[in-house]
Structure formats: structure tokens, C-alpha cells
């Protein structure tokens, strides 16, 4: 028995030594900032389109589509080379890493340089003739053509974008490289990693973003339900807020329905009925005054017409036809100003 126990003890000790000597395989988080990764993926296609346009603009023998394959290969080689050189440079102190340029700025510099390198002599001459707006329209149109044709699939561009961001992200803001010795530790980290992908919880929104960007997305999400800006108390989606405020909001300011007869009050449209019910007497009095003025005006115009007709019939020398017409037209024009203003009288008696 003693010999067996000693043998087991030796085996246990050997296993411990093997575990201590064997290297620990660390598992990396591998999360990327969703927004920056998406932007980088889109910039790759835009850069390829711009390079193709620059390469062939002003060239009557070539079109952008004829150089896509060659330029895509050159672009990938250029980005791989520049990013590796950047990654191989001395990192310096921790403060230097924190203050390092943001990865998207570095990548944008690589891409802009590639496009400039493809501008041929004809392109430089043509740029004096072709406006920047027209060139940008041509590039945008070609981006759509590349996307539809599948000349550079989004999955492949995303893989390249991940590789580039990993190399140039010295400040560690676009990807997470934290490593862990066990799956449990890795899972626990991923559950709280600032770059973990998160789906918007606002109903109707399907956007995905990194957790660290949650506040920024929430502040601009069109599906976010907010309380009415004008204080009516209703809950309205951010995208519908402007339309709500200028149309159906009870707190929208409107003029009194009786402003044509002199009421100058402006009030929330939700209180119009209460306003009308509380001011029946003043509104009726205003309408009465308007009717009295109209009666006086109508009587005056009728007298003028009667006098004109008598003058025309008694005159020994007939009045010139044109002069008579002008006078009658003048009277008619003045009569138009005596029309009764449109007033919803039902509001005056709705509560009586």
C-alpha cells in the first residue's frame, strides 16, 4: 500500500511540473469599436472608387471599371505595408501610446495618400475643367456600381479593416486586446467590455453599436421616445417631434377663431374651446360691431349707386361710357371690402 501511495504521489508531482512548464494559452477578447470598424469598411470601398476615377479621368481609352482589379490589389498591398511599418515603429512610453493619433486619422492618411498617387497627368489637367462637385458625384456613382457588382465584398473589406485597426490602434480605442487564461475569465470580461456589441433597445431601432457609444446613440436615436418639447405631456418619438409640435400638439399656439372680428388673443390650441366658451359676450359684441359697420357701408354704397343712376338718366349730354364703367367698378371694389369676415358662430352658442 505504501508503495502505491508513493507511486501516486510521484505521478501527481510530475503532472504539476508539466502544468508549470507548459505555456499558458491566453484567450483574447477581440472586440472592435463597431462604429469605427463600420466606417473603416466603408472608406475602403470609397477609396478604391476614388482611385479608379482619378486613374482614368480624362483618359478616353479607359473607364474606372477597367482598372478595379489592379488598383484593389495595389491598395491592399499599400495598406498592409504602411500599417506594418507603423506597427513596427517604437511605441515609446505609456503616455506616448495614450497620446498617439487616433487610428481612423492614421488610416485616413494612408487612404488619401493612395488616391493622390493615382492621379495621372490627364487627371491633373482635367481637374481644372471638371469641378470638384462633378468629380465627387462621379466617385459616389462608381461606389454604388462597385457595391452592386460585388467587386469587393463587405465581408472581405471588414476583415482587412480589422487587421489594419489592430496594427495602427496604439491608443487602444478601436479594439480590445485583453487576454485571459480561462474561458470563464474571458466570458466575464466580454460581458462588461466597453467595446461589446450592443443592440439599441428603443422600439423600431435595429442599430448595433459598442457599449461605450451607447450614450451618443441614445442622444440621437430617431426612435427614442421623449416627452413633448412644448410641455403637453404626450410621449413622442424623436423623429416625429417636429411634426407633432406644429400640428396636433395641444400646446401649439394659435390665434382665436374670432381674430377677424377683433379678438387678439393667442392661446394653446387645446384651450380654444374653453377660451370661446368663456368669452361669448365679448365675441358676440365684436361680431355685432362688425355687422353694424357693414350695414352702414352697404347703405352708403347703395346711395352712391342710386345717385349715379339718377345723374346718368337726367344728364342732357350722355356720360362717356368708359367714365361710367370706371365709376361703377370703383363702387364694386369698395363693396368687396364690406364682406362679412368668416366666423364660426357655432362656437358662440356651443355651450348655451
Amino acid at each position: 500500500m505504501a508503495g502505491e501511495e508513493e507511486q501516486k504521489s510521484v505521478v501527481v508531482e510530475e503532472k504539476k511540473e508539466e502544468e508549470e512548464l507548459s505555456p499558458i494559452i491566453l484567450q483574447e477578447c477581440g472586440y472592435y469599436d463597431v462604429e469605427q470598424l463600420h466606417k473603416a469598411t466603408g472608406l475602403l470601398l470609397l477609396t478604391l472608387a476614388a482611385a479608379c476615377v482619378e486613374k482614368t479621368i480624362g483618359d478616353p481609352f479607359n473607364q474606372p471599371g477597367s482598372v478595379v482589379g489592379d488598383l484593389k490589389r495595389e491598395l491592399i498591398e499599400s495598406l498592409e505595408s504602411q500599417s506594418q511599418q507603423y506597427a513596427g515603429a517604437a511605441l515609446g512610453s505609456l503616455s506616448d501610446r495614450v497620446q498617439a493619433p487616433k487610428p481612423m486619422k492614421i488610416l485616413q492618411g494612408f487612404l488619401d495618400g493612395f488616391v493622390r498617387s493615382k492621379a495621372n497627368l490627364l487627371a491633373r489637367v482635367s481637374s481644372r475643367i471638371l469641378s470638384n462637385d462633378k468629380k465627387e458625384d462621379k466617385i459616389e456613382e462608381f461606389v454604388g456600381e462597385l457595391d452592386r457588382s460585388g467587386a469587393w465584398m463587405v465581408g472581405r473589406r471588414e476583415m482587412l479593416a480589422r487587421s489594419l485597426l489592430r496594427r495602427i490602434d496604439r491608443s487602444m480605442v478601436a479594439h480590445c486586446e485583453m487576454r485571459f487564461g480561462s474561458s470563464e475569465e474571458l466570458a466575464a470580461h466580454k460581458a462588461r467590455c466597453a467595446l461589446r456589441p450592443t443592440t439599441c433597445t428603443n422600439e423600431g431601432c435595429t442599430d448595433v453599436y459598442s457599449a461605450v457609444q451607447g450614450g451618443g446613440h441614445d442622444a440621437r436615436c430617431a426612435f427614442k421616445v421623449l416627452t413633448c418639447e412644448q410641455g403637453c405631456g404626450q410621449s413622442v418619438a424623436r423623429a416625429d417631434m417636429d411634426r407633432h409640435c406644429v400640428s396636433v400638439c395641444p400646446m401649439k399656439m394659435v390665434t382665436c377663431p374670432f381674430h377677424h372680428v377683433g379678438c387678439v388673443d393667442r392661446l394653446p390650441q387645446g384651450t380654444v374651446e374653453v377660451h370661446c366658451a368663456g368669452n361669448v359676450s365679448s365675441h358676440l359684441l365684436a361680431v355685432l360691431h362688425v355687422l353694424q359697420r357693414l350695414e352702414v357701408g352697404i347703405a352708403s354704397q347703395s346711395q352712391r349707386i342710386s345717385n349715379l343712376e339718377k345723374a346718368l338718366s337726367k344728364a342732357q349730354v350722355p356720360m362717356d361710357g368708359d367714365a361710367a364703367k370706371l365709376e361703377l367698378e370703383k363702387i364694386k371694389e369698395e363693396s368687396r371690402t364690406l364682406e362679412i369676415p368668416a366666423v364660426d358662430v357655432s362656437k358662440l352658442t356651443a355651450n348655451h
Side-chain angles (χ1 to χ4, degrees), residues 14 66 69 224 264:
E14 289 178 351
S66 64
K224 176 76 172 180
V264 297

Side-chain angles (χ1 to χ4, degrees), residues 27-49:
Q27 303 177 66
E28 185 176 307
C29 172
Y31 278 149
Y32 285 76
D33 184 296
V34 175
E35 183 177 342
Q36 294 190 60
L37 181 61
H38 178 74
K39 184 177 180 181
T41 302
L43 281 175
L44 291 174
L45 190 64
L46 177 61
T47 299
L48 177 60

Side-chain angles (χ1 to χ4, degrees), residues 97-114:
R97 170 174 284 198
V98 173
Q99 297 174 5
K102 295 297 184 284
M104 290 306 301
K105 183 177 181 180
I106 299 298
L107 179 59
Q108 188 70 65
F110 293 165
L111 298 175
D112 291 344
F114 181 80

